[in-house]
Amino acid sequence: MAGDHGALKPDPALERWNLMREDVYKHFKFTPSVTRKVLLWAAVVPVSAWYIASQQDYKWDWAGKGKTESLYRTRPTPTPVGEEAK
């Protein structure tokens, strides 16, 4: 059962693709297009995620809340009955 006894015929296209994947670091160059993508994924996306998380950090309080209690840290002021939202 062990070993390859010629049962599988290797696909040349698949072998070339695997070789290309293994050697991509030898042929990689920073072009303007690649530089934009690297800056987007390495800087803009993490900074955006940090900003959103920091804005939401102290807004919610999950500790010891009941089913009917608000999750806001500070309770929003109720709108008086006579006034409507504009």
Side-chain angles (χ1 to χ4, degrees), residues 39 50 80:
L39 287 175
W50 169 81

Side-chain angles (χ1 to χ4, degrees), residues 9-41:
K9 183 177 177 185
D11 184 2
L14 188 59
E15 296 297 324
R16 283 193 311 269
W17 184 76
N18 281 331
L19 185 63
M20 183 266 313
R21 283 192 60 217
E22 292 171 4
D23 293 339
V24 74
Y25 70 93
K26 295 177 184 175
H27 307 287
F28 179 78
K29 292 182 182 176
F30 270 109
T31 62
S33 173
V34 171
T35 304
R36 280 191 295 274
K37 291 175 187 174
V38 167
L39 287 175
L40 174 73
W41 291 106

Side-chain angles (χ1 to χ4, degrees), residues 40-57:
L40 174 73
W41 291 106
V44 175
V45 171
V47 168
S48 300
W50 169 81
Y51 178 75
I52 291 169
S54 68
Q55 294 299 312
Q56 298 293 319
D57 190 22

